[in-house]
Amino acid sequence: MRPRSALVGALLALTAACATTTTAPPGPSPDTSRPLLVASGADLTTPGSPAGTGVRRTLIDEWNRLHPTRPARIVELPNATDDQRSELIGALQSGSATYDVVNLDITWIPEFADSGLIRPLPASALPDDDFLPQAAAAGRRGGRTYAVPFNTDVGLLYYRTDDLLKSGTRPSDLAAFHSVGDLLAAVRPLSHNTYTTQLAAYEGLTVNTLEAFWTAGVNLVDGEGRYTGTEDDLRKGLDELNRLTIANYLNPASLEADESVSLAQFTQGASVLMRSWPYAYNRLDAALDPSSPLTRFGVARLPGVAALGGQSLGVAATSTRPDDAAELIRFLTGRSSQRALLQAGFAPARRSAYGVEDSACTAANPAAWYYDRPVRKGSEPSASPTPEGRRPGYTTLLWCALREARARPATAHYVTFTRLIQREVHRMLATHDPGVDETAHRLQERLARALGGR
């Protein structure tokens, strides 16, 4: 018979051997022979610049200068948002691309997180309280943070100043209007092409639709992504949206317009007012003759409730360098990077980039509601070297508009939801057949199923 100590030793050895054989194998070693790859849409902020020379590439170049042993490279995805999403999902699911950081539209984050395509972020990369709260919240899912805001966005109202004045409306009057429909009724005598917006069957139409619904006091989805609307709610929201078209306020080109088409229409003088995003400011500033009062323009808060947009950065679940990827995200969303985004025409997600206190966002402060771009003379450059120095009114306006912006529904089934809205609402606006009542009935039957993934 073996001594007890020998038996115990044998059992311990056997246990150790079993533990060794059942331990999971280590993951793949980080491939430091290649750059960190950042998958992102095209940079629309730099007018007249060749592809790939926008502020995002500038920031990557600065990272590479500071981290020569861990360089990064941007991989640009297709311009169309739906194509970007499809390509990203296909690449991440198949492992055909070695992306480390992905730049996601904020509406995609729940889907990518729930599908395991992006991984939770470490504490070192989490957003702090300097970030716009709604933008930071969009990156959280199930109590964990999956993405950090890179840039944000909000719907704004652009106006051609002299045409607006001819209609009897001053820029300072714009804060008094509670909806786009109310505003259009006031400026209608000037032109049947008063307003240009994005109503083609793509995400821009969903944004316009939700803004009309929210302005009418209608919420279709709760905080858990469940449908809560009624047919009466849908009818009320569609009536508000339909106000844009029934009295010939709308530039007809809007029905097939995306952001680039609506911007071209407004630049050419085809409408007095335009709903667009902050990136349009620099584009207009560069496109319109700065010495001519006939091309003076301004920008204001969108009457009613404006939608929050933007992109956030997450670490791809397939990245073999998640720590380096998280550090790159921390750099790209840092304070100095955010200030560079503002100068280039993006809306940063950090409060500190604007240098504006929340106390400035009051009804009594004109800068919180509109900014009328002054006419510049001679060869004065149109680019702003320091936005807070050259355009303090615009910077204040932008931050105050962002504070009030509302996020689109947070659901893993957002794509199903938005495609249903686009199909049914575009048909109503473009043909008026079916009308509001029938469209509301059709949506009521389908929206709950769409948000349930069916």
Side-chain angles (χ1 to χ4, degrees):
M1 179 178 292
R2 292 183 181 180
R4 180 177 180 83
S5 59
L7 180 59
V8 171
L11 288 173
L12 289 173
L14 179 60
T15 302
C18 290
T20 301
T21 58
T22 58
T23 300
S29 299
D31 181 5
T32 56
S33 65
R34 63 168 180 82
L36 291 162
L37 294 185
V38 181
S40 178
D43 187 338
L44 301 176
T45 58
T46 310
S49 297
T53 59
V55 65
R56 290 173 180 163
R57 183 171 294 277
T58 300
L59 291 175
I60 292 295
D61 289 344
E62 178 64 10
W63 163 271
N64 292 342
R65 185 185 70 81
L66 296 172
H67 304 85
T69 62
R70 292 180 293 167
R73 179 167 65 87
I74 289 181
V75 178
E76 286 200 353
L77 301 171
N79 285 338
T81 302
D82 284 350
D83 292 342
Q84 289 178 23
R85 172 185 162 276
S86 297
E87 182 166 315
L88 266 181
I89 289 177
L92 295 176
Q93 287 179 339
S94 67
S96 61
T98 53
Y99 298 140
D100 299 288
V101 175
V102 288
N103 192 19
L104 303 175
D105 187 281
I106 58 172
T107 62
W108 303 346
I109 295 169
E111 178 185 14
F112 277 63
D114 288 5
S115 300
L117 300 178
I118 52 178
R119 65 178 71 202
L121 293 171
S124 61
L126 299 184
D128 54 45
D129 59 8
D130 189 38
F131 284 89
L132 183 73
Q134 309 97 294
R140 293 193 286 268
R141 187 75 173 163
R144 308 176 89 175
T145 298
Y146 287 85
V148 180
F150 185 27
N151 63 274
T152 189
D153 245 344
V154 62
L156 297 173
L157 180 75
Y158 292 83
Y159 56 86
R160 298 179 70 92
T161 306
D162 294 279
D163 287 338
L164 186 67
L165 292 171
K166 289 175 185 176
S167 76
T169 303
R170 298 168 300 176
S172 57
D173 297 331
L174 294 173
F177 295 99
H178 300 293
S179 71
V180 174
D182 291 344
L183 172 60
L184 297 187
V187 301
R188 184 192 172 201
L190 178 66
S191 169
H192 71 281
N193 285 346
T194 303
Y195 188 57
T196 292
T197 189
Q198 305 83 36
L199 299 177
Y202 81 115
E203 185 61 22
L205 174 57
T206 302
V207 167
N208 276 266
T209 300
L210 289 173
E211 288 175 341
F213 275 53
W214 294 331
T215 297
V218 173
N219 295 304
L220 298 178
V221 184
D222 67 13
E224 302 300 320
R226 295 176 299 229
Y227 181 64
T228 59
T230 66
E231 197 165 323
D232 284 343
D233 290 335
L234 290 164
R235 191 178 298 110
K236 185 178 179 181
L238 291 171
D239 276 333
E240 183 64 38
L241 180 66
N242 210 33
R243 293 178 68 193
L244 307 183
T245 64
I246 57 177
N248 292 324
Y249 302 149
L250 189 71
N251 182 339
S254 296
L255 293 170
E256 299 301 330
D258 60 8
E259 285 85 358
S260 61
V261 172
S262 59
L263 183 59
Q265 290 283 313
F266 183 78
T267 304
Q268 295 161 11
S271 59
V272 182
L273 303 165
M274 173 184 68
R275 183 230 174 268
S276 194
W277 303 100
Y279 91 96
Y281 186 97
N282 277 17
R283 291 297 184 96
L284 288 169
D285 208 28
L288 298 179
D289 182 357
S291 65
S292 171
L294 298 178
T295 57
R296 189 156 54 113
F297 77 92
V299 59
R301 299 262 291 270
L302 190 71
V305 183
L308 182 74
Q311 289 81 43
S312 295
L313 299 172
V315 176
T318 54
S319 172
T320 59
R321 302 171 62 185
D323 293 339
D324 287 342
E327 189 168 343
L328 175 57
I329 288 175
R330 187 169 55 187
F331 170 81
L332 293 173
T333 60
R335 292 174 186 253
S336 61
S337 296
Q338 292 281 295
R339 288 193 292 271
L341 291 177
L342 179 62
Q343 185 168 332
F346 276 117
R350 281 186 177 272
R351 179 201 314 266
S352 56
Y354 297 86
V356 176
E357 296 296 328
D358 287 347
S359 58
C361 302
T362 66
N365 181 13
W369 292 93
Y370 77 97
Y371 175 70
D372 202 32
R373 185 200 67 161
V375 176
R376 291 184 299 276
K377 303 297 183 182
S379 59
E380 185 180 359
S382 61
S384 170
T386 55
E388 60 276 11
R390 178 71 65 78
R391 305 188 308 224
Y394 173 69
T395 305
T396 300
L397 162 77
L398 183 53
W399 174 251
C400 295
L402 284 165
R403 286 180 69 250
E404 302 300 323
R406 186 173 300 184
R408 283 162 282 174
T411 169
H413 306 297
Y414 184 81
V415 170
T416 309
F417 167 82
T418 189
R419 286 177 178 169
L420 175 61
I421 293 285
Q422 292 163 24
R423 182 176 67 247
E424 298 294 337
V425 174
H426 187 266
R427 181 180 173 189
M428 181 196 81
L429 294 177
T431 67
H432 300 290
D433 181 25
V436 167
D437 290 345
E438 177 61 21
T439 302
H441 180 69
R442 290 168 62 88
L443 286 172
Q444 180 66 18
E445 290 182 332
R446 295 167 173 80
L447 278 172
R449 294 200 299 271
L451 286 165
R454 304 188 303 277

